[in-house]
Structures are given as C-alpha cells and as structure tokens.
DNA sequence: TGTCTAGAGAATGTGCACATTATCCTGTCA
DNA sequence: TGACAGGATAATGTGCACATTCTCTAGACA
C-alpha cells in the first residue's frame, strides 16, 4: 500500500502523451537506420535502447515490433531484433513491384490531377534541391522517398497510396545501407523534376518511361553496394539523434 | 516464495508451443471473421475472448494487434478493437490496386511458368470445384482468396507475392461481410479455370482481360451489399469454432 | 421532460517481476 | 592444444497488478 501511494506520487506522465512517446522512440530508431550507420546484422537490444532513450523497455519493445512489421528490422524468436541484410535479388524484386505500381500512378496523374497537386509537386522538388545544396543526407533520403509517396497520394486512391507506402520503408533500407556516401551521386531530384513536368504536361507515356528509367537507375546504383560507413557503437548513434527526439 | 514455487509446479506449458498458441488464437478470431457472422461495428473485448478461448489476455492482445496490422480489424486507442465497416468506395479502390498487380501477375505467368506450376493451378481449381459441391462457405472463401495468392507465388517474385497477399485479408473482409449467402452466386471457380487455361496457353492478353473482368465482377457482386447474416453472440460463434483451434 | 453531471463499474494500457532461453566463458578431459 | 560440458550472466518472453480511460446509469436541476 505504501508502495502504491509512492508510485502515484512519482508518476508525472502527461495524460495523452503516450502515443507521442511511442512515436518518439519509433522515430529515433528509424532515424538511426536512415543515418546509414547501423550495419546489417547489428542487434538492437531492448535494455540498451531503453537506457539510451530513457524510456521503459516496453516502449522500445512496441517500437521494435512496429519496425519489424514495416520490415525495417527482422526479429528472431528468443534471439532478438536485427538490422537486416537485404539481398540484391530482393532489391530487384522490390523495384519491379514499385515499377508496376508507380507506372500506374503516373499514368493516372497524367490523365488529370486534383487542384493544388501541381503546386505540391513543384514545391516538393524545390525542397529536394535545397536539401541537396545543404548536404543533409538523411533529409534528402527522406524527401526522395516522400516524393514517390506524394505522387501516389495525389492519385486519390488511398489503397494504392498505402500499398506503395508499405514498400517504401524496405526500399529506404536498401538506400540507407547501400547508397554511396556522396550526395551528388544520387540520381534523385533531377529525375523527379522531369517526371513532374511530364505528368503536369499530361504526357502519360513520357511520364511512365521516365519513372521506369528512374527506378532502373536506382536499382543500378544500389546494386553496386558501395562499402558502407564504418560501424559505430549504438550509444554514439543515438546520442547524436537524441535532440531530434524531443522536437 | 511459496507463491513462486506453486507457480513453477503448476506451469505445464510445452517449451516451444508458444507460437502455436498464438497462431491458434489468431486463427480462431480470423475464422470467426470469415464465417461472416461478425457484423461491422462489433467490439472484440479482450477479457471476453480470453475467457472463451481459455488463454491469457496478453495472447488475445497480441492476436488482435496482428489482425489490426493486417487490417482485418480496426483499433481505437483506449476504446478497443472493432470489426470494420469498409465502404464501397474502399472496395473499388482496393480492387483497382489488385487489378494493377494481378494484371502484371498473369502477364508474367503467361510468358512462362516454373515447373510444376500447371499441376498446382489445375489441382487448386479442382479443389475449389469440390468445395462448391460440398457447400462449405468458409472453405470456398479461403480457397478463392488463396487462388490469387497462388498465382502471385508462382511468379517467383517474393515481393510481388507478399504485396498482393497484404491486400487479400482486407479483400476477404469485404467478401465475408457482403457476399451473398448462396454459394452458387459466387463467380469464383469458373472464372479461375478460364484464367488458368489462358495462362497455361501463353495467351497473356486473354489472361489479363479475364483477370480484369473477374475482378470487376467481384466488385459488382460485393457492391450490391446483400443483407448480412443475423448477428450472433460472440460466445456462440467461438463455441462453434473452438474444436478447429486444437487441430 | 430533456439535459447535464457525478460516480460506479468495466474495459484498455503499462510497468514490473519473474520464467525461459540463448550466449559466453571457464575448466576438464582426451 | 582442441573440443566439449557445465555454469554464470544477460537477454527475450509473459503473466499479473495496477493506473488510466471510457461507458453507462441514476439523479438533480432547469
């Protein structure tokens, strides 16, 4: 009973802030992956992450399950959660499916878009260009992926959008792990601008061709599998990212 | 301490049987949904299911999370887990995405299949025909869905296969909730047989047309939204299904 | 009579303690 | 010296108790 009262006095958790905490934990781990410093095979231990992020182990657990579900991570029963080592074969298959879906996406968009779509697309491409200049790798990666999601969103078919979005985390994983460190090698923003132009011009055939070429180019780049960055201890990775967790 | 020893004496859980229990709980709830007796809006309460299935609440919790993830169910924070009421609009969107993917599937297969594919497809269609005759609604629903998954599997692209499979639970949900009770109204096995013929004949165009018509036919049928079966208390539904849980 | 409020009851959410399992290290024996 | 067995340690997995939130109902008041 004494214990019960003590607990009640100590608890100072904001009422509706639970999902916010969950999202912060999820985001921190996801950002760590996007940074490209987590090498395939790395084990993400629940107690370690809980200590580094200063949350209970259950929160880490939940976030890890979510990431496994989205295929950012892989779980082995009674063993733990690991950073996957996706194969080139998987890369090819993944981008084949993306090509099927995104071909349909740009074809639909070229046939006609909703009001405001043109503005959204243009400003997104502009944002990508500024990210290239500032040299923020994580930010550019995020924006590049989001471009494809944005296209799908503008189709007005939620199922199409969510189906493609489900493929993007795994796609980003390949990017994080195997993209070259130099940003100017990424064939991203330039292609994106051309695709937008074709779509807005209503040229479906050109848009489809550009999209397929764009995706093929990414496959080629990622198949090279440039040597990844040097490994870094977990605590250093998360120490760097911890400020963003609170924003 | 006495409590601790008592626990140890009572526990008689098989060592590796945990995942089996989880699967059983998951399967029981899924089967309940496929039976078509759970109406949209029904709340699936954790304590009730735990009592009916004779497992701990945590197991039920885990299974519900999984079903929510697969979009069989919908969760509302602090409120519970509910049987969804998917709209006709969603139905159309869903089948549009399926058409995009399955169009590509049959086109790939018509270009050439792996050894043994023909046999698998033929025997599957035969199985569907026998299910129609036996009048087992749940079984036919399961087989009909599995036919589309089988086609995707035979493509040899795991990503394509898993992407389509991710859409099938939600698709089955529409089927369970809104398909007419009479089995002979289902435009299933007959279409499937024709598609198999076209694929094995290498006629890609015909296979694609048949697949698109087949999916359109399903949309039309499900859009009618026949009156669902009468509601039934949860305990009766799960009492009927409990034997299968142990098999 | 309709609406709003307070409280009882029951559901969901979460931290913790403990059980179970894997890993690593050490010592022994061939 | 190498391989293997056994135990120490630390991880993952799970049931439970409690906190929090929601729902539903009875009753007061306009």
């Amino acid at each position: 009973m004494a214990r019960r009262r003590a607990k009640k006095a100590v608890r100072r958790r904001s009422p509706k802030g639970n999902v916010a905490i969950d999202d912060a934990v999820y985001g921190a781990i996801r950002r760590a992956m996007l940074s490209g410093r987590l090498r395939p095979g790395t084990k993400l231990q629940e107690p370690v992450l809980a200590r580094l992020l200063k949350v209970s182990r259950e929160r880490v657990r939940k976030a890890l399950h979510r990431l496994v579900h989205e295929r950012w991570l892989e779980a082995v029963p009674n063993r733990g959660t690991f950073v996957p080592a996706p194969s080139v074969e998987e890369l090819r298959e993944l981008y084949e499916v993306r090509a099927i879906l995104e071909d349909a996406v740009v074809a639909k968009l070229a046939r006609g878009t909703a009001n405001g779509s043109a503005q959204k697309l243009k400003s997104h491409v502009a944002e990508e260009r500024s990210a290239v200049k500032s040299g923020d790798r994580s930010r550019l990666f995020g924006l590049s992926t989001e471009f494809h999601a944005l296209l799908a969103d503008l189709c007005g078919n939620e199922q199409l959008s969510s189906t493609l979005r489900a493929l993007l985390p795994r796609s980003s994983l390949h990017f994080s792990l195997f993209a070259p460190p130099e940003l100017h090698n990424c064939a991203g923003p330039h292609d994106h601008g051309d695709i937008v132009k074709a779509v807005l011009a209503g040229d479906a055939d050109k848009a489809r061709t550009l999209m397929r070429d764009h995706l093929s180019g990414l496959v080629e780049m990622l198949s090279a599998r440039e040597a990844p960055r040097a490994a870094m201890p977990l605590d250093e990775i998360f120490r760097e990212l911890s400020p963003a967790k609170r924003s």
Side-chain angles (χ1 to χ4, degrees), chain A:
Chain A
M1 313 228 178
R3 179 168 153 254
R4 176 176 168 183
R5 223 176 299 124
K7 264 185 166 180
K8 192 165 188 175
V10 168
R11 290 274 174 77
R12 280 292 156 232
R13 181 170 71 229
S14 58
K16 287 274 187 181
N18 301 355
V19 293
I21 295 176
D22 285 344
D23 286 348
V25 175
Y26 165 83
I29 301 174
R30 193 165 148 282
R31 228 171 294 123
M33 303 224 53
L34 276 173
S35 78
R37 292 200 179 86
L38 285 167
R39 298 229 314 233
T42 304
K43 181 174 177 179
L44 297 182
Q45 299 184 124
E46 297 167 4
V48 174
L49 293 179
R51 181 162 38 80
L52 291 175
L53 299 173
K54 292 168 186 168
V55 295
S56 72
R57 190 162 72 91
E58 276 66 29
R59 300 304 183 107
V60 175
R61 225 158 200 291
K62 210 193 279 187
L64 289 178
H65 282 141
R66 184 173 162 193
L67 288 160
V68 166
H69 150 53
E70 293 172 353
R71 308 211 310 154
W72 279 99
L73 296 171
E74 279 171 8
V76 182
N78 292 324
R79 294 277 305 277
T81 309
F82 301 85
V83 178
S87 66
V88 176
E89 176 67 12
E90 183 196 281
L91 174 73
R92 295 229 164 80
E93 293 185 354
L94 193 55
Y95 275 80
E96 184 183 349
V97 179
R98 283 190 56 177
I100 293 168
L101 290 170
E102 306 207 41
D103 182 279
V105 165
V106 292
K108 270 174 82 82
L109 287 179
R111 254 179 270 137
T113 59
N115 288 339
S117 299
Q119 185 50 42
K120 282 181 192 165
L121 289 170
K122 284 177 185 168
S123 65
H124 188 96
V125 170
E127 224 177 323
E128 286 184 9
R129 290 221 175 87
S130 84
V132 172
K133 282 180 190 165
S134 71
D136 186 339
R137 175 185 162 104
S138 284
R139 187 171 141 75
L140 179 60
F141 280 11
L143 286 170
S144 296
T145 301
E146 192 55 28
F147 172 75
H148 294 267
L150 177 61
L151 284 175
D153 288 346
L154 295 177
C155 281
N157 181 331
E158 275 186 37
Q159 303 302 313
L160 178 54
S161 173
S162 66
T163 301
L164 180 60
R165 275 184 182 276
L167 296 176
L168 295 181
R170 191 75 181 187
S171 224
S172 299
L173 178 70
H174 282 271
F175 224 82
S176 300
L177 293 175
F178 301 116
E182 312 83 37
L183 290 171
H184 63 270
N185 275 357
C186 295
H190 192 256
D191 285 3
H192 288 181
D194 291 344
I195 291 171
V196 167
K197 271 186 206 162
V199 163
L200 296 181
D203 190 340
D205 287 337
K206 187 174 180 186
R208 292 172 62 189
T209 305
L210 286 173
M211 177 58 88
R212 288 195 173 265
D213 289 348
H214 173 56
L215 293 174
S216 304
L218 291 176
V219 170
E220 204 169 335
M221 180 185 81
L222 295 173
S223 297
R225 305 197 147 224
E226 312 263 336
R229 297 183 171 194
M232 188 184 279
L234 281 187
D235 51 357
E236 284 187 30
I237 298 175
F238 282 93
R239 207 183 320 268
E240 279 188 14
L241 296 170
S242 54
K245 172 174 154 273
R246 278 158 211 129
S247 71

